[in-house]
Amino acid sequence: AQSVTQLGSHVSVSEGALVLLRCNYSSSVPPYLFWYVQYPNQGLQLLLKYTTGATLVKGINGFEAEFKKSETSFHLTKPSAHMSDAAEYFCAVSSRSQGNLIFGKGTKLSVKP
Amino acid sequence: DSGVTQTPKHLITATGQRVTLRCSPRSGDLSVYWYQQSLDQGLQFLIQYYNGEERAKGNILERFSAQQFPDLHSELNLSSLELGDSALYFCASSVVWGAGELFFGEGSRLTVL
């Protein structure tokens, strides 16, 4: 079975500060990993994904994540937070033989001016 | 705009009633997924269809059922509704079955009174 744990249900940063959202996964097969963002009253939008190949993945809006197999982690980072980054972020895991995504419980990011 | 259309956007009904949520996937997408999002449970995978056939089942209650029609749209039927069924129900679609990016609709918010 696969699972995802997101550390911290709420993270608050100042505008211009580093954003770090943590995600650890559990999977008995090579995982495919995703980060989605949800703005208020909207659906989920893909930020970035890792399937195979390069372990440092760049996504939209300046976000990136690094797949670390030894640490079973896929943390999301952004060097400088912007007010528009305030949203809820979900980490998800899947695999080659699995169609659906298993989501973590989400981390709500607040950005202070 | 993800290209996934869900109707209705909002629905208020009473306990014991039955409702149907509708989803039109992106043009060309063969896979449809249903998720339930609630404050206490987070994003829970319910069920997946691929080209009209059920491919995976998650935490879907027996009171809930779904189907995908020949034109690829899908419906989620919720019956004998309980207060705890109040949630945001998302539909997502993907081109292929297996670890592809999921495109989410904006959701149907169900309130059971």
Side-chain angles (χ1 to χ4, degrees), chain B residues 8 10-21 63 78-87 89 109-113:
Chain B
H10 300 276
L11 190 55
I12 302 174
T13 188
T15 54
Q17 295 298 304
R18 172 189 170 95
V19 298
T20 297
L21 310 180
R63 301 183 285 107
L78 315 175
S79 62
S80 303
L81 286 168
E82 302 175 0
L83 296 178
D85 297 327
S86 295
Y89 291 84
R109 184 170 294 280
L110 173 66
T111 302
V112 183
L113 300 176

Side-chain angles (χ1 to χ4, degrees), chain A residues 32 34 36 38 41-46 49 51 88 90 94-105, chain B residues 33 35 37 40-45 48 56 88 90 94 97-107 109:
Chain A
Y32 291 171
F34 304 78
Y36 278 81
Q38 184 180 26
N41 299 315
Q42 292 188 27
L44 282 75
Q45 179 185 2
L46 181 69
K49 65 180 179 182
T51 52
E88 190 155 21
F90 292 90
S94 181
S95 66
R96 182 179 178 182
S97 60
Q98 180 177 313
N100 59 293
L101 301 182
I102 306 299
F103 285 90
K105 289 197 176 294
Chain B
Y33 309 75
Y35 284 83
Q37 185 179 35
D40 53 342
Q41 295 292 324
L43 267 165
Q44 295 285 314
F45 168 67
Q48 178 204 355
L88 194 53
F90 283 110
S94 66
W97 182 87
E101 175 182 352
L102 267 58
F103 295 86
F104 282 80
E106 294 194 350
R109 184 170 294 280

Side-chain angles (χ1 to χ4, degrees), chain B:
Chain B
D1 182 5
S2 68
V4 178
T5 304
Q6 290 188 247
T7 57
K9 290 194 184 321
H10 300 276
L11 190 55
I12 302 174
T13 188
T15 54
Q17 295 298 304
R18 172 189 170 95
V19 298
T20 297
L21 310 180
R22 181 187 169 100
C23 170
S24 294
R26 289 189 325 154
S27 177
D29 284 1
L30 299 178
S31 266
V32 169
Y33 309 75
W34 286 98
Y35 284 83
Q36 179 193 59
Q37 185 179 35
S38 61
L39 284 175
D40 53 342
Q41 295 292 324
L43 267 165
Q44 295 285 314
F45 168 67
L46 296 178
I47 198 163
Q48 178 204 355
Y49 283 84
Y50 178 78
N51 204 20
E53 294 188 7
E54 181 185 306
R55 293 304 294 265
K57 225 171 192 178
N59 301 320
I60 188 166
L61 300 172
E62 285 191 11
R63 301 183 285 107
F64 296 179
S65 64
Q67 56 183 321
Q68 187 179 27
F69 294 86
D71 66 353
L72 301 178
H73 91 272
S74 178
E75 293 182 357
L76 178 66
N77 301 296
L78 315 175
S79 62
S80 303
L81 286 168
E82 302 175 0
L83 296 178
D85 297 327
S86 295
L88 194 53
Y89 291 84
F90 283 110
C91 171
S93 71
S94 66
V95 175
V96 296
W97 182 87
E101 175 182 352
L102 267 58
F103 295 86
F104 282 80
E106 294 194 350
S108 292
R109 184 170 294 280
L110 173 66
T111 302
V112 183
L113 300 176

